[in-house]
Amino acid sequence: RENFIHLCNPHLEKMKEDILYHFALGTGTHDFPALFGDVKFVCVGGSPSRMKAFIAYIAEELGLESSGCDYPNICAGTDRYAMYKVGPVLSVSHGMGIPSIAIMLHELIKLLYHAKCSNVTIFRIGTSGGIGLDPGSVVITRESVDATFKPQFEQVVLGKTVIRSTNLDEQLTKELMQCSIEIGQFHTVIGNTMCTLDFYEGQGRLDGAICLYSEEEKLQYLKEAYDSGVRNIEMESSVFAAMCNLSGVKAAVVCVTLLDRLEGDQISTSHEVLVEYQKRPQKLVGYFIKKSLGKV
């Protein structure tokens, strides 16, 4: 059954042209169905270079790479986000934090709608701080929770607080876990992901420019998070889950942990090891895409 993108905005129907400003794309200047109509998988992550590396990786995995090919940035007209495409896979950077990924998602969801895409699955792949996990472990998010461990995304709209659900597709989560078992290369768990508004105080770090709590208070908070089911911390998953839910898009969050926050705050692992860690979510999602396309 065809599952098309749902837009929760009746005002868009009245617009003659929709300009996706932060992508430097628009319905009056670009043929969205021709450019993006075949997209079935979208992978989003913080850094432009990482998303370019992912598109090169998935092109090779799907046998779609060409000799000496340099994948062009579709959003080259702006320096806000980067976008790459090969076959049915779109790879987009989202920057850091809830505001940055939210802006990107508004325009990405509209892009998929204007392109008349159907049966799309969106993945956020990235890095995170683990809780009670060895560095390099991969967490597939069951649900995103806020800093009080509630599965919700809170936003102020027209001066009023709006609460939105942050549940993620349970079946997709199970399928990704099965893929990790089949790969058998790294430790993977399903757990809740805490999404915060900040990297330092918001995540209970002791090494920021401002810190007005003790190490004991920090550890107590992180242990409470662990007891509530939280296994990692990052800064984008809540609005990602909420917006995908409202748009009727199947979505998952897959992040690797760079450290165990119960053991410390600073990331001191070597660059080479971190690079290998960062490839793990790419490998897992890449394997899922290959399997979905019957290429495994």
Side-chain angles (χ1 to χ4, degrees):
R1 192 178 64 177
E2 295 292 292
N3 179 30
F4 291 94
I5 306 297
H6 172 66
L7 287 187
C8 299
N9 184 358
H11 304 289
L12 292 174
E13 296 178 6
K14 304 171 186 176
M15 295 167 50
K16 292 183 179 179
E17 179 183 5
D18 190 4
I19 298 172
L20 308 186
Y21 172 71
H22 301 89
F23 284 169
L25 298 170
T27 55
T29 54
H30 297 79
D31 186 340
F32 281 48
L35 290 169
F36 306 107
D38 62 340
V39 169
K40 298 297 181 186
F41 306 96
V42 183
C43 296
V44 304
S47 127
S49 61
R50 196 181 305 159
M51 300 323 292
K52 185 172 185 178
F54 175 76
I55 209 67
Y57 171 76
I58 199 65
E60 182 178 0
E61 289 293 295
L62 298 179
L64 299 174
E65 82 282 9
S66 56
S67 179
C69 178
D70 182 32
Y71 302 95
N73 177 10
I74 298 169
C75 298
T78 177
D79 59 0
R80 294 296 182 185
Y81 304 104
M83 180 186 296
Y84 306 94
K85 182 181 182 299
V86 65
V89 183
L90 197 64
S91 178
V92 191
S93 69
H94 60 59
M96 188 181 296
I98 286 173
S100 185
I101 192 174
I103 294 167
M104 187 281 291
L105 285 170
H106 274 283
E107 299 189 13
L108 173 64
I109 290 166
K110 291 197 296 177
L111 179 154
L112 296 171
Y113 174 81
H114 292 313
K116 298 179 171 57
C117 294
S118 64
N119 302 329
V120 176
T121 304
I122 304 182
F123 304 91
R124 169 170 139 65
I125 55 176
T127 58
S128 63
I131 303 182
L133 295 173
D134 290 335
S137 300
V138 171
V139 180
I140 305 168
T141 304
R142 176 182 290 109
E143 58 185 8
S144 176
V145 302
D146 63 17
T148 64
F149 319 140
K150 295 177 182 176
Q152 63 183 33
F153 171 63
E154 183 176 306
Q155 184 169 3
V156 176
V157 179
L158 300 182
K160 299 177 182 178
T161 299
V162 176
I163 304 293
R164 291 171 176 163
S165 168
T166 55
N167 291 331
L168 289 155
D169 190 276
E170 184 178 357
Q171 183 59 34
L172 178 57
T173 299
K174 291 178 180 177
E175 290 174 6
L176 285 164
M177 188 67 195
Q178 179 58 36
C179 286
S180 181
I181 293 170
E182 292 173 18
I183 294 172
Q185 295 180 10
F186 40 79
H187 179 57
T188 303
V189 301
I190 295 174
N192 292 348
T193 295
M194 182 163 71
C195 184
T196 67
L197 302 178
D198 167 54
F199 185 80
Y200 286 97
E201 288 182 284
Q203 297 187 10
R205 277 184 159 84
L206 303 174
D207 58 345
I210 299 168
C211 180
L212 303 177
Y213 44 83
S214 68
E215 183 173 7
E216 290 73 21
E217 289 172 318
K218 165 210 162 176
L219 288 173
Q220 180 181 352
Y221 175 68
L222 292 181
K223 288 174 181 175
E224 288 174 359
Y226 183 90
D227 290 342
S228 75
V230 172
R231 293 298 176 265
N232 65 333
I233 311 172
E234 47 85 92
M235 297 186 292
E236 293 88 18
S237 60
S238 61
V239 71
F240 173 81
M243 291 183 69
C244 288
N245 280 337
L246 285 170
S247 304
V249 184
K250 192 158 59 169
V253 178
V254 181
C255 290
V256 69
T257 62
L258 302 184
L259 75 167
D260 181 357
R261 289 294 317 289
L262 295 175
E263 302 295 330
D265 296 329
Q266 296 207 325
I267 301 169
S268 57
T269 308
S270 71
H271 175 72
E272 292 74 19
V273 172
L274 289 178
V275 168
E276 195 281 319
Y277 284 171
Q278 291 172 15
K279 290 179 180 177
R280 294 180 178 185
Q282 297 184 19
K283 289 180 179 178
L284 178 50
V285 171
Y287 183 90
F288 175 90
I289 292 173
K290 284 177 64 179
K291 190 176 179 180
S292 299
L293 295 174
K295 293 181 178 290
V296 172

